[in-house]
Amino acid sequence: MTPPEHTPASPRKRPLAPDLSELDARSVRAWTESMAVSSMGRGRYRVESESGNEYTVDLARSDCSCPDHELRRERCKHLRRVALEVTLGNVAPPGRVRETCAACDRPSFVPEAGPALCDRCRLEPGDVVRDRETGDLLVVARATDRRADEWFLEGVGSTVADHATNRGYPAADVVVEAVYPFSDSARTSVLDGKRYAFPRSRLEELDQQFIR
Ligand SMILES: [Zn+2]
Ligand SMILES: [Zn+2]
């Protein structure tokens, strides 16, 4: 099932940058001055200003170390510039870091804590997946941040990574717990079924949600 394409028949003509004559002076400088913005993690950013000074912006707290902000309590051009760069996708938003997604190898902004998976590759409860080994359809019950070589399977006596059917998948994969949706009709919710642990990349995400 592919989602419908949202391409309008005749796209509206519009400029990409804002009309600078409509903006106040600080916003104009935020758009037009040469600045370098880099993420320091935990929602903090280093801004090298056009004049060569370096300031620290805390986006969540709307804080900047520059005199304009500290003395006049204005939303300075550095704060505005960081918000712009985040909005345009040039630097990581708070709580994210730029990294290669462990599943699809694409550069992405992945969560600072937890597995390095992009939004597309991170599974959520209710996502429908296909087991690449057996072709079976399953429903995700829980995506964990634990590694397959650290997850011990009680009944089997090995880790998820060491299990014979999982040898072809990276030992550092995160473990995903999934249920077989049609194995037991008596239970009230699909996600109450018996959970099985898989290495993330063994499960192929299908573009579906299970309707309970
Ligand atoms: Zn500032
Ligand atoms: Zn990915």
Side-chain angles (χ1 to χ4, degrees):
M1 213 166 60
T2 46
E5 288 219 24
H6 297 288
T7 311
S10 52
R12 196 168 56 86
K13 271 206 279 188
R14 60 190 173 88
L16 190 57
D19 180 356
L20 296 179
S21 66
E22 301 273 306
L23 300 179
D24 67 64
R26 283 189 180 83
S27 289
V28 171
R29 288 199 288 273
W31 274 99
T32 59
E33 287 188 7
S34 290
M35 298 189 226
V37 175
S38 52
S39 171
M40 301 161 69
R42 298 174 170 218
R44 295 166 77 234
Y45 299 82
R46 182 183 300 111
V47 179
E48 197 186 328
S49 73
E50 190 160 273
S51 57
N53 292 318
E54 276 196 12
Y55 301 112
T56 302
V57 162
D58 187 322
L59 203 53
R61 295 172 52 207
S62 276
D63 195 27
C64 180
S65 60
C66 78
D68 186 35
H69 181 80
E70 299 220 303
L71 302 178
R72 287 188 281 278
R73 307 310 301 170
E74 290 284 349
R75 264 183 70 77
C76 64
K77 60 189 179 186
H78 314 109
L79 257 169
R80 297 175 196 216
R81 178 59 166 260
V82 170
L84 275 173
E85 301 265 20
V86 166
T87 305
L88 294 171
N90 297 334
V91 294
R96 301 277 180 130
V97 287
R98 190 194 297 276
E99 216 171 294
T100 304
C101 169
C104 70
D105 274 346
R106 273 188 283 247
S108 338
F109 297 130
V110 307
E112 268 176 348
L117 294 171
C118 73
D119 288 339
R120 279 188 72 236
C121 294
R122 201 161 333 107
L123 293 173
E124 305 285 346
D127 283 347
V128 177
V129 291
R130 191 195 313 276
D131 180 355
R132 294 182 200 275
E133 294 297 309
T134 63
D136 289 336
L137 288 184
L138 294 106
V139 178
V140 172
R142 185 166 75 105
T144 79
D145 56 6
R146 301 261 311 279
R147 290 166 55 113
D149 57 0
E150 292 170 354
W151 186 288
F152 198 75
L153 295 165
E154 295 281 335
V156 183
S158 78
T159 64
V160 170
D162 284 338
H163 191 263
T165 57
N166 293 335
R167 299 261 165 80
Y169 302 96
D173 258 18
V174 289
V175 169
V176 174
E177 290 188 306
V179 298
Y180 291 92
F182 306 117
S183 60
D184 174 10
S185 56
R187 64 184 189 241
T188 50
S189 162
V190 165
L191 299 187
D192 291 341
K194 180 168 165 49
R195 296 181 177 193
Y196 295 85
F198 295 87
R200 166 66 186 89
S201 51
R202 176 168 163 175
L203 300 174
E204 175 193 3
E205 185 174 9
L206 305 179
D207 208 1
Q208 291 169 20
Q209 276 272 317
F210 192 83
I211 310 295
R212 273 165 275 173

